[in-house]
């Protein structure tokens, strides 16, 4: 198939993928109980963020704490791809908390739970958990460094700085992996103090 036909076919699938993801969010938003059987799901925590969550066994979990100059970017990445995620090389004196995703497979799924505490004020209240997926916003900016547009939610736990949850679903991500990503988000809970 010629490259321009492949591009058109890929572009034609994107609205369907977005609609399917919206339906998944709506379905999970109304779900009361999501079970995490220990033989198929593992448990992990992010101590600096003071949260814990479940993830599908076979997915990679990587904690990070990176000094970006004025900001320390800290959190956890959970992905269906075993990959060492890094920041793009912007040259001396420049940094970003965006991940370099150029060249990743089109079925990649990545969930980032993170905080970049730059003037981080403690939250006054604790959000309702699980985080309501109906509040997930879709990024409106053009994707950078090979990343697809993403969904994000904000989480707040009383007397702790807020954190963000970012869900990156590449164009050929399967419905099963997309569902697993949203199940990871729904599993996030505050850790005990």
């Amino acid at each position: 198939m010629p490259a321009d036909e492949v591009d058109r076919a890929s572009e034609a699938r994107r609205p369907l993928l977005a609609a399917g993801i919206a339906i998944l969010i709506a379905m999970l938003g109304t779900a009361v109980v999501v079970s995490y059987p220990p033989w198929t799901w593992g448990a992990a925590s992010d101590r600096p963020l003071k949260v814990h969550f479940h993830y599908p066994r076979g997915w990679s979990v990587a904690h990070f704490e990176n000094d970006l100059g004025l900001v320390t970017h800290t959190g956890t990445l959970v992905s269906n791809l075993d990959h060492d995620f890094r920041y793009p090389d912007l040259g001396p004196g420049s940094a970003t908390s965006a991940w370099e995703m150029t060249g990743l497979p089109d079925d990649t799924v990545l969930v980032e739970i993170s905080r970049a505490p730059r003037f981080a004020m403690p939250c006054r209240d604790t959000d309702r958990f699980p985080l309501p997926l109906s509040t997930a916003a879709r990024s409106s900016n053009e994707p950078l460094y090979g990343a697809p547009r993403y969904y994000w939610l904000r989480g707040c736990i009383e007397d702790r700085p807020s954190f963000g949850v970012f869900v990156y679903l590449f164009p050929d991500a399967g419905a099963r992996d997309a569902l697993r990503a949203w199940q990871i988000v729904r599993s996030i809970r505050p850790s005990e103090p």
Side-chain angles (χ1 to χ4, degrees), residues 54-165:
H54 291 89
Y55 65 94
R57 293 206 185 272
W59 283 39
S60 70
V61 177
H63 302 286
F64 63 90
E65 186 168 330
N66 299 313
D67 181 8
L68 300 177
L70 299 174
V71 177
T72 299
H73 187 213
T74 185
T76 302
L77 300 174
V78 185
S79 180
N80 67 345
L81 177 68
D82 186 12
H83 179 75
D84 184 17
F85 287 91
R86 298 185 179 274
Y87 301 121
D89 182 2
L90 303 179
S94 297
T96 179
S97 61
W99 299 102
E100 175 60 70
M101 297 191 204
T102 304
L104 293 182
D106 283 345
D107 62 350
T108 300
V109 174
L110 173 66
V111 177
E112 175 185 343
I113 308 164
S114 67
R115 178 177 67 225
R118 181 183 193 170
F119 316 116
M121 298 295 294
C123 294
R124 294 176 63 175
D125 298 307
T126 297
D127 287 341
R128 186 182 82 197
F129 286 87
L131 294 172
L133 299 182
S134 59
T135 64
R138 184 134 192 229
S139 65
S140 58
N141 55 326
E142 281 300 312
L144 297 172
Y145 314 114
R149 285 199 162 97
Y150 56 87
Y151 293 88
W152 65 274
L153 298 99
R154 178 178 168 265
C156 235
I157 302 169
E158 186 177 0
D159 295 329
R160 302 178 191 172
S162 65
F163 61 91
V165 180

Side-chain angles (χ1 to χ4, degrees), residues 45-51 63 76 191:
S45 63
D46 186 300
R47 290 183 186 202
L49 298 183
K50 298 182 180 170
V51 297
H63 302 286
T76 302
S191 297

